[in-house]
Amino acid sequence: MLSVVHLHPTHAPTGQVPSKSSKHHFSPHPDWIQDYIKDVEPYQKRVWQCRLVEETSRGELSLCQMRGWLIQLYPFIETFPQWIALNIAKAPDALSREILIDNVRIEKWHAKQWRQMTEAFGISGEELDATQVIPEVEALTHYMWSINLRGSLAESMSAMTYAVEGTTQGIAREVLKGFPKYDGRYGIRLSKRACAWMNNHSRYDEAHPLEALEIIKRSTLHDDMKRNVTQVAQRSMEYFLMALEACYEHFSPTKGVSVSPHEYAA
């Protein structure tokens, strides 16, 4: 059985990042989890450093590209709670089930917050509901369905909660840097309500990856499983990067792709 410690900001076991936003207690990281974190990190950095994220953080991404990726990722955001819920029945203990149920409760509000954000960028609900995702975004979505339906609990937590949610925190922090540069342009009004999705993910998504690691530690029982959880997280990041890069290219102003019948001016 794993020993459990209460993490405080000034006291954390080696390799563990304390979380102020989680009510749960986490066990110290064994060596293989520290290796896992190191092996996944370069894949996360590629996402954080992609053109779409970096240009958004500087307020340089075109409105067409901004609107494009916000529209394209909406079905992914909307479906996320369903993927988490698929894993509740796999959970081997009460703590794992509690973490998953809490996460579903939180995630169910995110589609509404995403719609509020897109509305500020002039995107109508009809546009979101009629989204035709490009192949690369669809591939990311299909991978999430596959890993959550067919994978083990540890694989699902690795690919979805640790990789995607953990990386999303870094994306949200970068995007928020650029939001003030869009506010007031093109008729955009980024109120507190419009920024809620990004603000929330920049804060409490520090807890969800730690919760995912706790579940991974509890449900990974042999070396083959350890290799698998690393591989699925890396592949998840590859699909995530591919989706963001495709949005950047597809909605580039030089491509002449429109994401709305409305005109805009720089």
Side-chain angles (χ1 to χ4, degrees), residues 14-61:
T14 302
Q16 182 96 340
V17 179
S19 170
K20 298 178 182 179
S21 55
S22 176
K23 65 182 180 181
H24 302 294
H25 298 183
F26 301 113
S27 60
H29 291 341
D31 290 343
W32 78 268
I33 283 287
Q34 296 187 47
D35 290 339
Y36 163 85
I37 293 170
K38 292 176 184 176
D39 290 340
V40 175
E41 185 178 15
Y43 292 79
Q44 294 177 302
K45 284 183 176 179
R46 288 174 199 146
V47 175
W48 296 327
Q49 295 168 358
C50 75
R51 293 173 295 173
L52 187 148
V53 174
E54 289 197 335
E55 291 186 20
T56 303
S57 74
R58 298 193 298 265
E60 297 172 357
L61 195 72

Side-chain angles (χ1 to χ4, degrees), residues 153-166:
L153 176 62
E155 290 170 338
S156 298
M157 292 298 98
S158 179
M160 176 181 57
T161 308
Y162 182 79
V164 172
E165 287 200 82

Side-chain angles (χ1 to χ4, degrees), residues 199-215:
N199 277 323
N200 288 336
H201 282 77
S202 72
R203 293 194 301 265
Y204 62 60
D205 265 5
E206 70 180 27
H208 291 174
L210 288 175
E211 293 168 349
L213 288 175
E214 189 63 31
I215 294 175

Side-chain angles (χ1 to χ4, degrees), residues 48-137:
W48 296 327
Q49 295 168 358
C50 75
R51 293 173 295 173
L52 187 148
V53 174
E54 289 197 335
E55 291 186 20
T56 303
S57 74
R58 298 193 298 265
E60 297 172 357
L61 195 72
S62 72
L63 179 61
C64 184
Q65 289 167 304
M66 176 67 81
R67 289 165 54 87
W69 79 270
L70 292 177
I71 292 171
Q72 284 291 309
L73 287 186
Y74 174 70
F76 184 86
I77 301 297
E78 185 183 40
T79 309
F80 211 87
Q82 297 179 48
W83 294 325
I84 299 171
L86 288 171
N87 291 283
I88 295 173
K90 304 177 191 176
D93 57 76
L95 176 60
S96 298
R97 286 191 293 275
E98 181 183 352
I99 288 172
L100 291 166
I101 291 169
D102 283 350
N103 207 345
V104 170
R105 178 181 55 80
I106 292 169
E107 293 289 338
K108 72 179 184 179
W109 295 105
H110 289 174
K112 179 179 180 180
Q113 291 176 345
W114 191 271
R115 293 178 80 99
Q116 292 168 345
M117 177 171 57
T118 58
E119 182 182 357
F121 280 91
I123 300 166
S124 69
E126 289 77 14
E127 287 178 270
L128 287 181
D129 294 334
T131 302
Q132 296 294 315
V133 297
I134 59 178
E136 294 83 356
V137 176

Side-chain angles (χ1 to χ4, degrees), residues 231-249:
Q231 290 168 357
V232 298
Q234 292 169 339
R235 179 52 53 89
S236 179
M237 291 296 89
E238 289 171 337
Y239 276 119
F240 202 178
L241 177 60
M242 182 175 69
L244 294 179
E245 287 286 359
C247 288
Y248 182 93
E249 290 289 345

